[in-house]
Amino acid sequence: DAYRQRTGRTLDDFATWCALAERRGDDWHRWPKSLRHPGSAAVAKFAEKHSATVDFHRWLQWQLDDQLTAAQATAVQAGMALGIVHDLAVGVDPGGADAWALQDVLATGVSGGAPPDEFNQLGQDWSQPPWRPDSLRRMSYAPLRDMARTVLRHAGALRVDHVMGLFRLWWIPAGASPSEGAYVRFDHEAMLGVLMLEAQRVGAVVVGE
């Protein structure tokens, strides 16, 4: 109960997605329309009907949380200055739990990537939905804060994949080639500020790739 209270809605959404995925498959875009948003009445009804399964997935996350706590403590006690260095990926699986739960703050119909350059003359399409800068601002960057806080809870350092994506990111419309994308800029001072504040709270280091 204490773990559920500490983690809040993010745990509930993840556990509900897991229970739904067991029955509907692991891509929420293929679910019935009524189940495609975590705030729908149909999702609430499903979670109530399958409460034991949802609770089981909450319990699994609790066990994982305890194991990560133990792993970080053991690493530090063994003499590692930072302990575990976690990774903050540049994006999430478009059909997975994060994209389902955060769809109000992620851009749909586009994916992040990179334009053509000397490294890859065709450009890159990473097939991952990017943050929407307007939605992040409207929500006071709470989704980014919660994600950083969760990752940093058991880490001495955090490696941020493609850290320039906090400044600008190449957006590619669905069905277009990477060469047909455009840069979308973010408020990097706000986004970096959120990451550094959460790192400062737990005494962690942030490294940008």
Side-chain angles (χ1 to χ4, degrees):
D1 288 343
Y3 177 69
R4 287 186 60 184
Q5 184 175 3
R6 184 169 74 248
T7 50
R9 174 69 183 271
T10 56
L11 175 65
D12 294 339
D13 285 345
F14 180 77
T16 301
W17 183 90
C18 289
L20 279 162
E22 287 183 358
R23 292 162 175 78
R24 298 289 183 175
D26 59 3
D27 185 350
W28 62 272
H29 296 96
R30 299 176 182 173
W31 296 352
K33 192 173 182 179
S34 62
L35 298 174
R36 293 179 191 171
H37 194 282
S40 73
V43 169
K45 185 177 180 180
F46 173 90
E48 182 179 1
K49 182 179 179 181
H50 301 279
S51 59
T53 303
V54 174
D55 263 343
F56 173 67
H57 285 287
R58 290 192 187 102
W59 178 83
L60 287 176
Q61 291 302 301
W62 180 37
Q63 299 306 302
L64 176 60
D65 191 86
D66 276 353
Q67 292 171 19
L68 287 170
T69 299
Q72 172 65 1
T74 301
V76 172
Q77 290 168 6
M80 296 175 66
L82 296 175
I84 296 173
V85 179
H86 282 302
D87 186 82
L88 186 62
V90 69
V92 298
D93 179 353
D98 294 297
W100 179 73
L102 296 171
Q103 59 187 278
D104 293 336
V105 73
L106 294 174
T108 58
V110 296
S111 64
D117 56 21
E118 292 182 0
F119 176 73
N120 190 326
Q121 296 181 7
L122 297 177
Q124 301 175 56
D125 185 341
W126 300 329
S127 300
Q128 296 170 329
W131 293 110
R132 282 185 51 170
D134 57 336
S135 297
L136 278 175
R137 188 182 307 111
R138 187 179 66 252
M139 300 176 71
S140 301
Y141 295 87
L144 178 64
R145 177 204 65 202
D146 293 344
M147 184 177 294
R149 185 173 295 177
T150 299
V151 174
L152 286 165
R153 190 161 62 233
H154 309 293
L158 177 66
R159 173 192 175 273
V160 181
D161 190 27
H162 189 60
V163 73
M164 286 304 297
L166 301 179
F167 293 74
R168 66 177 188 177
L169 187 63
W170 189 253
W171 284 24
I172 305 164
S177 70
S179 63
E180 298 173 296
Y183 275 116
V184 173
R185 295 187 180 278
F186 294 85
D187 185 343
H188 64 275
E189 290 186 352
M191 298 186 73
L192 287 172
V194 168
L195 287 179
M196 297 312 299
L197 177 60
E198 294 306 317
Q200 176 67 22
R201 285 176 170 170
V202 295
V205 175
V206 176
V207 180
E209 177 267 339

